Amino acid sequence: MTRTRTVLALLVLGALTFGTGSPTWVTTTVTTALEPEVAVAAAGTSAAPGVGAGALVLLAAGIACALTGRVARYVALLVAAAAGVLVVASTLVVVGDPTPAATAAASATSGVTELTSPVTLTAWPWAAVASGVLAVVVAVCGAIAARGWTATSGRHERADTAASGSATTGTSAGATTGTSAADDGTAVGPDDEIDPHDAWDALSRGDDPTGR
C-alpha cells in the first residue's frame, strides 16, 4: 500500500466517520405537561462523542502521514488505528444500550427523562462501526508497507547534495586550472606584484619582467 493511498484512505475515512456521526442514531418519545407525545432524536456525535473525536484524529493522522518522516509516520498510523478502535468501541456502547443516549437527548430536548416508547436505533451506528474497522485495517496495512516509503524530503536533500558536489567539483577544477597556468608562467595577473630585483635581473638579460 503506497503512502498516497494510505493518506487518501485515512482522510476519506475521517470524513466518512463524521458523516456517519451526523445523522440521527437514536429515536424515542416522551410526554410533557404541554404535549402528550414529543419526539426525541439523538445524533451520533451526541450519543457517542468518541465518534467525532475519532474522525478528527483520522484526519490529523492522514495529514501527518503525508508530511512526516519515518518514525513519525509509524506514530501517526498507530494513532489512526487507535482512533478506529475508539470509533468502534464508542458505537458499540450505544448499540449495546441506547437508553442512556436517548434519556440524555430527552432531557436536553424537553427536560423530561421518562421515556414513553421503546428506543429505536437507525442504521447509522453500523456504518460508523464499518468506518472504524476500515480505519484499523488501513492503519495496519499502511504500517506494514511504510517500510518501503521514501522520506518526504529525501528528494530535495539528494538534489541539494548533488548540486553541492557539482559546485565543489567545479571549484576544484577551476583552482587546479589556475594553478597549472601559474606554474607554466605564461600569464601574470594584473594584481600580481613583481619584485624590483627580479625585474632588474630580467632587464639585464634582455627579458620582459612582466612576462608579456
Side-chain angles (χ1 to χ4, degrees):
M1 192 170 188
T2 64
R3 178 201 290 265
T4 301
R5 290 181 179 177
T6 302
V7 170
L8 290 177
L10 290 176
L11 294 177
V12 169
L13 286 172
L16 287 177
T17 302
F18 265 125
T20 60
S22 299
T24 299
W25 280 21
V26 177
T27 60
T28 187
T29 58
V30 295
T31 299
T32 65
L34 300 177
E35 297 184 46
E37 185 175 280
V38 177
V40 175
T45 51
S46 299
V51 172
L56 284 175
V57 173
L58 287 174
L59 292 173
I63 296 173
C65 283
L67 301 177
T68 55
R70 182 178 297 274
V71 176
R73 79 177 59 137
Y74 285 108
V75 175
L77 291 170
L78 177 61
V79 171
V85 172
L86 175 63
V87 170
V88 173
S90 299
T91 304
L92 291 180
V93 167
V94 177
V95 171
D97 185 11
T99 301
T103 302
S107 177
T109 302
S110 60
V112 178
T113 58
E114 187 69 30
L115 306 180
T116 58
S117 66
V119 179
T120 303
L121 281 174
T122 65
W124 288 108
W126 302 111
V129 170
S131 177
V133 171
L134 285 175
V136 175
V137 172
V138 168
V140 172
C141 292
I144 295 173
R147 188 177 303 176
W149 295 352
T150 57
T152 304
S153 59
R155 295 191 303 272
H156 304 291
E157 292 175 357
R158 288 195 295 271
D160 293 342
T161 302
S164 177
S166 300
T168 303
T169 303
T171 303
S172 300
T176 303
T177 303
T179 303
S180 299
D183 291 341
D184 292 341
T186 57
V188 178
D191 295 332
D192 293 341
E193 295 183 359
I194 302 175
D195 187 274
H197 297 289
D198 294 339
W200 179 258
D201 292 339
L203 289 172
S204 299
R205 295 192 301 270
D207 298 331
D208 185 352
T210 63
R212 294 187 177 87

